[in-house]
Amino acid sequence: AMSLKRKRALERLRSIRTEVEQKGLPARPNLYDVAALTAGAIEILERDDPQRASAAALYLYRIAPQSFSASGVESQLACRRGCAFCCHGYVSASAPQIFAAAAAIRRDGTGFDATNERVHALAARVRGIEWRARIALREPCALLVQGACSIYAARPLACRGFASYSVESCRRAFDELTDEVIVPPAYASVRSALESALRAALKACDLPAVSYELTGALAQALIE
């Protein structure tokens, strides 16, 4: 029989999960918050569904906006549509996030061919290049269209968690190839919690919990 202590812990976890799913993560997520989301992602990954990996990513994406909002710093951010300095760097993402992005690209019927071509062309240019050299190329992300992300609702957590208080610092970092952009600590914490929950769920389900370079992995996913 289940011990009273374990029963209470599970009840607390269920309660936290309900609250986080409804309201998002707090600005400083703790281990219980991450464990609650991990449980939610595991439930999805254990489904008999070929789309379960991307569904697990989308589950966390639904919780992301309100979690970042709860940080209380959104009004101070300089990030706006059309500002894309950060869309010229190296992005890594786990397999569920790659599959979610690939699915979003496939859903764009009219734009699919052009996006698919850009993804494969960029993947060929950056293959085997380590991340610093990749940043030095200043190549725009293959998903960037007229200064905006063409799969915004399905963009990876790395993109969601990168934010800045200053356009000038982003411009300077882009021009001088520095990493001096200060990401709000609350944004970094929320992104880390979401990434940790997904990684822990993958491990629990005996699935690869590694991250891949976005463009190369996307090119592969779009072939399969």
Side-chain angles (χ1 to χ4, degrees):
M2 187 184 296
S3 71
L4 183 60
K5 186 177 180 181
R6 179 169 165 76
K7 190 175 181 181
R8 283 177 176 165
L10 286 173
E11 285 173 356
R12 183 182 177 190
L13 201 61
R14 274 194 289 270
S15 172
I16 292 171
R17 179 177 161 188
T18 299
E19 186 170 349
V20 169
E21 287 177 349
Q22 291 175 351
K23 300 178 182 176
L25 289 163
R28 291 184 178 179
N30 60 36
L31 284 175
Y32 278 101
D33 298 317
V34 174
L37 289 184
T38 299
I42 288 172
E43 268 187 22
I44 295 169
L45 289 171
E46 287 181 335
R47 290 177 190 166
D48 183 16
D49 173 9
Q51 308 300 320
R52 60 188 180 274
S54 56
L58 294 174
Y59 164 70
L60 295 170
Y61 292 171
R62 283 194 296 275
I63 292 161
Q66 58 218 33
S67 300
F68 288 120
S69 292
S71 68
V73 301
E74 275 193 327
S75 63
Q76 303 163 49
L77 298 180
C79 306
R80 300 289 183 272
R81 183 185 177 93
C83 182
F85 293 114
C86 62
C87 301
H88 292 71
Y90 178 98
V91 175
S92 63
S94 55
Q97 299 178 71
I98 301 291
F99 293 142
I105 292 169
R106 287 196 181 96
R107 281 195 298 272
D108 182 12
T110 55
F112 173 79
D113 288 342
T115 303
N116 188 43
E117 191 174 313
R118 285 196 308 275
V119 168
H120 281 88
L122 181 57
R125 284 200 296 278
V126 302
R127 187 174 293 119
I129 297 176
E130 59 96 28
W131 71 273
R132 285 188 187 278
R134 167 66 187 278
I135 291 169
L137 288 176
R138 295 189 179 87
E139 285 276 4
C141 176
L143 304 175
L144 191 65
V145 177
Q146 295 179 342
C149 178
S150 58
I151 61 155
Y152 192 75
R155 70 198 187 282
L157 292 169
C159 305
R160 293 166 189 269
F162 194 91
S164 170
Y165 294 119
S166 163
V167 173
E168 190 47 48
S169 71
C170 293
R171 180 180 289 111
R172 194 161 52 245
F174 177 81
D175 289 341
E176 300 173 12
L177 299 176
T178 68
D179 55 0
E180 67 175 41
V181 176
I182 298 171
V183 175
Y187 263 56
S189 294
V190 168
R191 178 210 164 174
S192 177
L194 294 168
E195 295 266 23
S196 296
L198 185 53
R199 195 161 47 246
L202 289 167
K203 286 180 180 176
C205 296
D206 289 325
L207 295 168
V210 297
S211 290
Y212 307 89
E213 188 276 320
L214 177 64
T215 313
L218 257 183
Q220 191 63 39
L222 289 169
I223 290 171
E224 295 170 355

